[in-house]
């Protein structure tokens, strides 16, 4: 092959980005980042974290042309996209965090009553009536946190779902703007 037959390929400089997310959210994120000029670099790795055992983390490597047109505006839109995704994650977590707090407080109160009942029965002389009186709210404090948790999660989900949907709508508008800047 001689030099004149060799094809000339233009130089393209890339910037790189690494995304780490739950496997359930990775498709959503990839669709969003494509609207800002990012493309998959071909390297997708699954990462197992013992702290988040039921959820599988995925690492995706992406690249984008450094000389892309409207880069400043695309970067600004990308930051807005990432902020909205973070807000959605925080709202999703807050669905269960308040319910968990209430259930834990009720469970601790139940444990305190059970401790009082135990001290009442082990006292000299044993106070059986006090033990029974303290053990009833103790057992209730151990049983009702589950039902309280379910109820609070339902209420929080009902309250936060419209806010989450608004954020998704905002994300779709941002991605649409980014896509128009690309093409």
């Amino acid at each position: 092959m001689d030099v004149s037959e060799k094809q000339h390929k233009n130089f393209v400089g890339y910037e790189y980005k690494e995304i780490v997310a739950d496997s359930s959210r990775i498709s959503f994120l990839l669709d969003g980042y494509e609207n800002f000029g990012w493309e998959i670099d071909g390297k997708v790795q699954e990462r197992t974290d013992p702290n988040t055992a039921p959820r599988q983390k995925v690492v995706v490597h992406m690249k984008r042309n450094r000389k892309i047109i409207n880069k400043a505006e695309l970067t600004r839109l990308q930051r807005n996209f990432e902020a909205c995704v973070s807000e959605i994650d925080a709202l999703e977590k807050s669905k269960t965090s308040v319910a968990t707090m209430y259930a834990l407080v009720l469970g601790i109160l139940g444990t305190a009553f059970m401790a009082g009942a135990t001290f009442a029965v082990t006292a000299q002389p044993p106070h059986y009536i006090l033990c029974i009186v303290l053990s009833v709210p103790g057992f209730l404090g151990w049983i009702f946190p589950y039902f309280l948790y379910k109820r609070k999660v339902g209420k929080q989900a009902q309250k936060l779902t419209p806010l989450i949907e608004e954020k998704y709508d905002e994300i779709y508008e941002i991605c649409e703007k980014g896509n128009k800047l690309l093409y």
Side-chain angles (χ1 to χ4, degrees):
M1 175 190 278
D2 95 31
V3 177
S4 62
E5 292 177 14
K6 202 178 204 183
Q7 288 184 336
H8 181 38
K9 186 175 179 182
N10 291 335
F11 172 77
V12 178
Y14 292 103
E15 56 184 331
Y16 298 93
K17 183 171 190 66
E18 181 179 273
I19 301 172
V20 180
D22 291 338
S23 59
S24 62
R25 305 225 349 123
I26 201 70
S27 295
F28 169 72
L29 292 173
L30 289 177
D31 289 343
Y33 278 109
E34 285 177 3
N35 293 304
F36 308 113
W38 293 98
E39 55 189 57
I40 297 175
D41 195 16
K43 301 171 188 166
V44 178
Q45 304 167 346
E46 292 187 15
R47 181 184 295 173
T48 306
D49 187 5
N51 298 331
T52 60
R55 288 190 260 164
Q56 187 77 14
K57 292 283 187 185
V58 177
V59 180
V60 178
H61 300 276
M62 303 184 83
K63 65 182 180 179
R64 174 170 75 175
N65 187 345
R66 291 181 78 75
K67 299 201 188 236
I68 194 168
I69 55 172
N70 299 318
K71 183 178 176 182
E73 182 65 16
L74 285 170
T75 303
R76 186 187 69 77
L77 289 171
Q78 178 184 325
R79 285 191 188 121
N80 287 344
F81 168 77
E82 290 168 346
C84 286
V85 169
S86 296
E87 289 175 22
I88 288 173
D89 290 342
L91 287 170
E92 289 288 345
K93 287 180 184 175
S94 72
K95 282 182 182 179
T96 58
S97 64
V98 172
T100 301
M101 181 188 66
Y102 277 107
L104 285 173
V105 167
L106 186 57
I108 290 170
L109 283 173
T111 303
F113 276 103
M114 287 305 280
T118 303
F119 289 135
V121 81
T122 58
Q124 289 300 331
H127 303 288
Y128 295 113
I129 302 295
L130 182 60
C131 174
I132 293 169
V133 169
L134 291 176
S135 65
V136 170
F139 281 120
L140 292 177
W142 285 351
I143 294 169
F144 283 122
Y146 173 76
F147 300 109
L148 178 67
Y149 176 82
K150 288 294 187 185
R151 184 174 173 201
K152 287 289 184 184
V153 166
K155 283 185 177 181
Q156 279 292 102
Q158 195 174 31
K159 187 170 77 172
L160 295 177
T161 299
L163 297 173
I164 292 172
E165 290 301 320
E166 286 177 20
K167 283 295 169 188
Y168 276 116
D169 291 341
E170 187 177 340
I171 283 175
Y172 294 138
E173 290 174 12
I174 290 169
C175 289
E176 186 177 3
K177 289 177 186 176
N179 194 297
K180 285 180 182 177
L181 288 175
L182 283 176
Y183 304 109

